Amino acid sequence: MEFVDNLRAKPVVQKIQKFIPAIAFLGGFAWDSITLGMSINDSDLIFLAAYYAGALIFIILLSAHLTTTDAISPKIGITDSNKSEQPKHRFITRNAIAARNKLLEREWSDVWKNRFTWVLQFFFGGMFSALVVCYFKSSGSLASFILVLVLAALLVGNEFLQKRYESFALNLALFCLLGTMVMNFTIPYIVHGIGFRWFFLSTVLSFGISFLIWKVAHRPKRMLVVPSLISILLIVAYLMNWVPPVPLVLKQQMPCQNFDKTNYSCDVDYPTILQRFKLSEPTVHKIEGNEVYFLSSVFAPAKLKAGLEFRWYYLEPSTGKYKLTDKISSGRMVMNGGRESGFRIYSKKKNVPAGKYRVETAYKNGAVIGSSAFEVLEGMPVKGFVRDSLR
């Protein structure tokens, strides 16, 4: 390591080193943004597994410590002069500690702690980066977006927490949170299904591994309080549909009429400039007697099966609030993943009165993947209709 230390001591290297975390952060985040949600490859899961395993190793290394008793005496002996009245105090030499567990019953130097925390920061950053992108692309409601904001805040905070990672309690808490989120992403990919049982399994596995780390580290029981609370809160959040239904990602949505199932094409109002840039809600000028259709495409990894549903809401003029009017699902809305452009589904409604609507595309009886608001109007649009299709 002398060569590395000499290299890092050079002024040029020290200047470059300051930018390495930022470069790694931006590069990893950009890569995750481009790849995750567009497609999911085995390499993505391998990288996540490598980050997770690396974090596990360095949390264990950073948990090394000496007990107070271990550090007092240079020999083994009995301190009491009267064995019948005084309790026995056994003193263990540092050499005896090293013989029993050379790796964890020791104190690392500040140099090595700095190295370990820097690497742990890198592994945590890699997981946070991927999870923020993945969960953001799968979030379709305000509640699920709050979880994404929490992950994003931790992602940014990770850039400033290197020295804090000397704390075993902080490391164990973040590792438990990240473990559950990572496994909730990877297990559905492996078992080709999503649902509460798989999320519960993710939570139990993550907490179990965190428990084993705590066991190996021989730390006080209070260190398990925060990981336990995190696990409980995540299960509650899932049951409340606050956890995005990863790895499902909404690709496209479209309200229209005159739907053709053969190529998933239909008539849409000619979009205004604001509608083209998603700055205004789309409209459907319904011709009398026509049905209003809503089309969605949802991406999922190959062979993953999941039931989907549409939830139609109507904006009540009297209250100014959206009211759930229909939940539409069927056997044809059980998706099989693998299509890069997304699994295509549709729903239709007859006798739709003019007004504002919102339709949610959701995991059946679960979290929202995405939603779109639009307005139904009578008559012909100013610029007519245009034929469009789900791509």
Side-chain angles (χ1 to χ4, degrees), residues 343-354:
F343 178 82
R344 299 179 296 185
I345 54 175
Y346 70 92
S347 66
K348 63 181 179 180
K349 281 177 67 70
K350 298 180 179 180
N351 303 319
V352 179

Side-chain angles (χ1 to χ4, degrees), residues 306-352:
L308 303 175
E309 68 182 10
F310 285 112
R311 299 167 190 166
W312 285 71
Y313 294 81
Y314 174 67
L315 183 66
E316 293 279 2
S318 58
T319 62
K321 296 181 179 179
Y322 281 99
K323 177 183 178 182
L324 178 65
T325 59
D326 297 278
K327 290 178 70 173
I328 301 173
S329 182
S330 66
R332 62 176 172 79
M333 295 173 69
V334 177
M335 72 176 300
N336 283 299
R339 186 175 183 267
E340 188 171 335
S341 297
F343 178 82
R344 299 179 296 185
I345 54 175
Y346 70 92
S347 66
K348 63 181 179 180
K349 281 177 67 70
K350 298 180 179 180
N351 303 319
V352 179

Side-chain angles (χ1 to χ4, degrees), residues 137-141 144 245 248-255 294-299 306-313 326 328 333 335 343-347 358-373 390:
K137 290 186 174 182
S138 297
S139 63
S141 66
S144 62
L248 305 182
V249 177
L250 185 72
K251 305 293 286 188
Q252 192 180 359
Q253 299 177 106
M254 188 164 57
F294 191 86
L295 285 58
S296 290
S297 57
V298 180
F299 169 81
L308 303 175
E309 68 182 10
F310 285 112
R311 299 167 190 166
W312 285 71
Y313 294 81
D326 297 278
I328 301 173
M333 295 173 69
M335 72 176 300
F343 178 82
R344 299 179 296 185
I345 54 175
Y346 70 92
S347 66
R358 188 180 78 236
V359 179
E360 295 177 344
T361 305
Y363 173 61
K364 189 173 182 180
N365 298 320
V368 177
I369 308 168
S371 65
S372 177
L390 286 185

Side-chain angles (χ1 to χ4, degrees), residues 196-322:
F196 175 73
R197 59 177 175 173
W198 302 122
F199 185 83
F200 184 77
L201 177 62
S202 302
T203 309
V204 171
L205 279 177
S206 178
F207 180 80
I209 294 172
S210 300
F211 178 84
L212 291 176
I213 294 174
W214 168 82
K215 196 78 173 175
V216 170
H218 299 292
R219 293 300 181 107
K221 291 182 179 179
R222 66 177 182 272
M223 299 291 185
L224 286 174
V225 172
V226 176
S228 300
L229 289 175
I230 288 174
S231 300
I232 293 170
L233 288 174
L234 286 175
I235 290 175
V236 172
Y238 188 91
L239 292 173
M240 297 294 291
N241 294 329
W242 295 345
V243 177
V246 293
L248 305 182
V249 177
L250 185 72
K251 305 293 286 188
Q252 192 180 359
Q253 299 177 106
M254 188 164 57
C256 58
Q257 55 190 323
N258 296 323
F259 172 64
D260 184 353
K261 185 180 176 181
T262 58
N263 56 6
Y264 270 75
S265 65
C266 56
D267 290 335
V268 299
D269 290 5
Y270 191 91
T272 64
I273 294 177
L274 292 178
Q275 289 171 343
R276 287 179 185 273
F277 291 96
K278 310 297 181 184
L279 299 176
S280 179
E281 296 175 351
T283 56
V284 178
H285 282 77
K286 185 176 69 70
I287 298 176
E288 186 176 354
N290 279 2
E291 299 166 322
V292 174
Y293 288 81
F294 191 86
L295 285 58
S296 290
S297 57
V298 180
F299 169 81
K303 298 181 182 180
L304 187 144
K305 293 185 177 181
L308 303 175
E309 68 182 10
F310 285 112
R311 299 167 190 166
W312 285 71
Y313 294 81
Y314 174 67
L315 183 66
E316 293 279 2
S318 58
T319 62
K321 296 181 179 179
Y322 281 99

Side-chain angles (χ1 to χ4, degrees), residues 125-143:
M127 284 190 283
F128 275 128
S129 175
L131 292 175
V132 167
V133 172
C134 178
Y135 280 78
F136 173 73
K137 290 186 174 182
S138 297
S139 63
S141 66
L142 178 61

